[in-house]
Amino acid sequence: MKGKYLVSLFLAAALAAGTLTGCGGNSSAGDPAAEGPAQGTDTVVVAMDPNSEPASGFDPAFGWGAGEHVHEPLIQSTLTVTNTDLTIGYDLATGYTVSEDGLTWTVTIRDDVSFTDGEPLTAEDVAFTYNTVKSSSSVNDFTMLDYAEAADETTVVFHMTRPFSIWPYTMAIVGIVPEHAYDPATYGSNPIGSGRYTLVQWDRGQQVILEANPDYYGEAPKMRRVVILFMEEDAAFLAAQAGQVDVAYTSATYSDQTIGGYTLAAYDSVDNRGFNLPAISSGTDEEGRLVGNDFTADVLVRRAINLGVDRQEMIDHVLNGHGSPAYSVCDNLPWYNPASEVSYDPEGAAALLDEAGWLLSDDGYRYRDGVRAELDLLYSTGDSVRQALCADFASQMEELGIACTLEGVGWDTAYDRALSQPLIWGWGAHTPMELYNLYHTIGDTGSAQYSPYANDAVDRYMDQALASTDLEASYELWQLAQWDGTTGVTQEGDIPWVWLVNVDHLYWVRDGLQIAEQKIHPHGHGWSIVNNVDRWSWA
């Protein structure tokens, strides 16, 4: 069996390539897609971006289910889950409590769960997993965890180094591994778990085949077999044209195409794009790096930039309509503050620049004290969407009288250069820590991590949010960090970042396939689409 499916796919894709050349990609006549599911009604074949393949395999200790592409690990169980509204639900856990000082979390777990090798899953396995992840993970931050211990077979106790109210969101992405069968050298390729699916085949760089776990403790998956193909975007498009996949990721580039027997599905995301605006004057740090920007150091300039962005125009022209305006790093999540929203107001933006002393000259640009208003904008090389958004943003800023230059940079230098220049970033996660990571000062540096910025009040609200012993009550504190009526990171506050768009996640979906309701997708074209593949069905 190994390799047969892939050969069939590649031959079909080659045939589709010829069809595409002859028919412009828009004809459904004789389209194999009309023949129905690729492999049967209890199977689904999904084409994903090659970057979705976990480089270190399916080991939670090395980032499976976490990091930039947060998703449910599928092969392993987790203590908690995030619901479709991003509130917390239970998987292995049956309940949890937190001590008054926030330093001890006690979690009770089910007693009816076994790994796929037949051994029972106990609190010892949970404690082992978390202690292993803490010592091994280079993807997620586990500095808030001191250690985990099993109080008995169904009770695990987490001892924290500091209060961390959003611990349930961390528990939702850490898959539990078996202490008796864990070898860090081999587990990623041959994982043993207790989740909805088991890994039966992994051809690196090509495909993963998952099959339903017959001993799963929850509701049996409707999809008994899930085939994940790792394909470049053009190949995924051709595979859909050839009817060889049931779901294929795509982007706005292909959104004006049609494929017979498929529908273009768009899923909401918090996968945002935005610029950092260095909020201090130019200088150098102790490492000799350029830090700060004399133009964006003025809060009136930053507010003008935020008002001067026509986000809908970007969605229409760059994303072919497949996106939503972004006003924060956490739009529409439970901890989002609607005070972040602004309306496009070029006249208001011009008035703010006038107030800041940047006056329009006959050449169409603004000057103050003989210095021209300028932005040197950076985007990551090879990312055509970010480059296009950067160019659109530059065009809009030029209309305000701000001269712009654009430069593609690699990530090896981008982080340092963003300390003094606006860089277009992608963020968006299923945890309020995204706010903390962008806006909270780091250690004793007196500045946030990715762009120079500091606000003591913002820091205090986020510290209080983490120290809360009530997760849902902490949402209000995260909202106050964004804007409390006097200060914050929104338009009337410091606005150290300007957010542009949330990028819809797009997929070609075969007609007749019912994809279960999706959570709002986080940053990255990862495994979010298959979080609930077990509940998909064929009509």
Side-chain angles (χ1 to χ4, degrees):
M1 172 179 138
K2 184 174 182 178
K4 181 186 295 186
Y5 182 75
L6 288 170
V7 170
S8 172
L9 174 63
F10 294 149
L11 287 174
L15 176 62
T19 305
L20 180 66
T21 301
C23 304
N26 291 313
S27 172
S28 61
D31 195 325
E35 298 175 4
Q39 290 196 341
T41 57
D42 63 351
T43 297
V44 66
V45 181
V46 182
M48 286 188 186
D49 187 318
N51 291 324
S52 300
E53 184 175 26
S56 299
F58 301 87
D59 187 343
F62 295 97
W64 168 240
E68 193 169 272
H69 307 288
V70 172
H71 56 82
E72 296 172 14
L74 293 177
I75 297 165
Q76 297 93 7
S77 304
T78 55
L79 292 176
T80 60
V81 294
T82 49
N83 299 317
T84 52
D85 62 357
L86 270 294
T87 57
I88 294 294
Y90 292 146
D91 183 4
L92 287 177
T94 58
Y96 65 78
T97 59
V98 57
S99 62
E100 289 187 9
D101 62 5
L103 294 177
T104 306
W105 290 74
T106 303
V107 181
T108 54
I109 67 170
R110 303 173 62 124
D111 61 3
D112 59 347
V113 178
S114 296
F115 291 105
T116 52
D117 63 358
E119 292 295 317
L121 186 156
T122 71
E124 290 283 357
D125 297 296
V126 177
F128 170 78
T129 297
Y130 276 82
N131 291 328
T132 299
V133 169
K134 174 180 171 58
S135 64
S136 304
S137 180
S138 59
V139 174
N140 272 5
D141 174 20
F142 281 92
T143 56
M144 80 295 289
L145 176 64
D146 187 5
Y147 66 97
E149 64 173 339
D152 56 44
E153 287 197 349
T154 57
T155 307
V156 61
V157 180
F158 297 103
H159 300 274
M160 315 301 284
T161 60
R162 63 180 187 274
F164 198 71
S165 65
I166 55 177
W167 183 242
Y169 286 98
T170 301
M171 293 192 291
I173 61 172
V174 179
I176 305 304
V177 303
E179 182 176 13
H180 66 275
Y182 180 78
D183 180 344
T186 60
Y187 182 85
S189 298
N190 299 283
I192 294 173
S194 58
R196 291 162 281 174
Y197 290 93
T198 61
L199 175 67
V200 297
Q201 185 172 324
W202 179 21
D203 303 312
R204 286 182 182 268
Q206 298 178 326
Q207 69 176 350
V208 165
I209 299 176
L210 305 174
E211 290 185 355
N213 177 1
D215 299 317
Y216 180 57
Y217 50 89
E219 182 181 350
K222 294 179 180 178
M223 288 296 169
R224 306 296 298 170
R225 192 165 184 263
V226 181
V227 180
I228 306 293
L229 304 176
F230 303 111
M231 310 181 76
E232 297 292 347
E233 186 176 318
D234 53 352
F237 180 78
L238 295 176
Q241 278 203 319
Q244 293 294 301
V245 296
D246 302 309
V247 178
Y249 85 99
T250 191
S251 71
T253 304
Y254 283 93
S255 63
D256 59 350
Q257 299 289 310
T258 58
I259 300 179
Y262 287 76
T263 300
L264 182 67
Y267 297 107
D268 292 339
S269 87
V270 68
D271 189 356
N272 47 59
R273 301 291 181 269
F275 284 98
N276 64 298
L277 300 176
I280 65 172
S281 298
S282 298
T284 56
D285 64 9
E286 59 187 14
E287 298 179 36
R289 298 177 299 182
L290 292 175
V291 174
N293 183 297
D294 288 338
F295 183 52
T296 61
D298 189 333
V299 69
L300 294 178
V301 168
R302 300 197 300 273
R303 291 173 182 170
I305 290 171
N306 196 39
L307 284 184
V309 177
D310 187 343
R311 293 163 172 83
Q312 190 60 48
E313 190 270 347
M314 290 184 169
I315 293 166
D316 294 340
H317 291 177
V318 178
L319 302 181
N320 287 338
H322 297 293
S324 60
Y327 304 107
S328 79
V329 74
C330 56
D331 292 357
N332 300 314
L333 300 183
W335 45 91
Y336 169 62
N337 189 332
S340 301
E341 295 180 24
V342 295
S343 298
Y344 173 51
D345 184 3
E347 292 80 12
L352 285 171
L353 290 169
D354 287 342
E355 183 182 347
W358 294 96
L359 304 179
L360 202 58
S361 181
D362 292 340
D363 65 358
Y365 292 110
R366 292 178 177 273
Y367 293 82
R368 187 177 71 181
D369 299 330
V371 176
R372 189 171 70 166
E374 296 181 348
L375 287 171
D376 298 321
L377 304 172
L378 308 177
Y379 63 88
S380 52
T381 302
D383 190 320
S384 59
V385 172
R386 294 193 199 193
Q387 182 178 1
L389 286 170
C390 193
D392 197 301
F393 178 82
S395 177
Q396 295 188 28
M397 292 301 103
E398 293 265 350
E399 291 180 11
L400 288 175
I402 300 171
C404 294
T405 60
L406 283 68
E407 181 184 353
V409 295
W411 286 109
D412 55 336
T413 61
Y415 288 94
D416 284 349
R417 294 191 62 182
L419 296 175
S420 61
Q421 295 170 264
L423 169 71
I424 190 166
W425 300 78
W427 299 99
H430 287 170
T431 168
M433 275 306 284
E434 197 89 323
L435 281 165
Y436 188 100
N437 292 335
L438 292 185
Y439 295 113
H440 198 286
T441 55
I442 302 300
D444 59 359
T445 65
S447 176
Q449 183 171 1
Y450 298 103
S451 186
Y453 171 68
N455 182 317
D456 289 341
V458 171
D459 283 357
R460 283 195 301 273
Y461 283 126
M462 291 194 281
D463 291 339
Q464 291 167 15
L466 289 179
S468 174
T469 56
D470 185 327
L471 175 62
E472 293 190 2
S474 74
Y475 294 160
E476 182 179 357
L477 291 163
W478 292 108
Q479 292 164 351
L480 290 171
Q482 294 162 71
W483 179 245
D484 68 358
T486 302
T487 190
V489 299
T490 57
Q491 173 66 18
E492 297 304 314
D494 299 327
I495 200 70
W497 291 70
V498 57
W499 302 101
L500 308 177
V501 296
N502 297 302
V503 180
D504 285 353
H505 287 183
L506 304 178
Y507 297 87
W508 296 105
V509 178
R510 188 190 295 274
D511 292 347
L513 178 60
Q514 307 299 315
I515 293 180
E517 181 184 4
Q518 295 285 295
K519 305 171 191 177
I520 189 169
H521 285 195
H523 174 56
H525 234 122
W527 290 67
S528 295
I529 187 67
V530 296
N531 273 341
N532 56 12
V533 67
D534 53 309
R535 296 192 295 277
W536 296 6
S537 61
W538 289 100

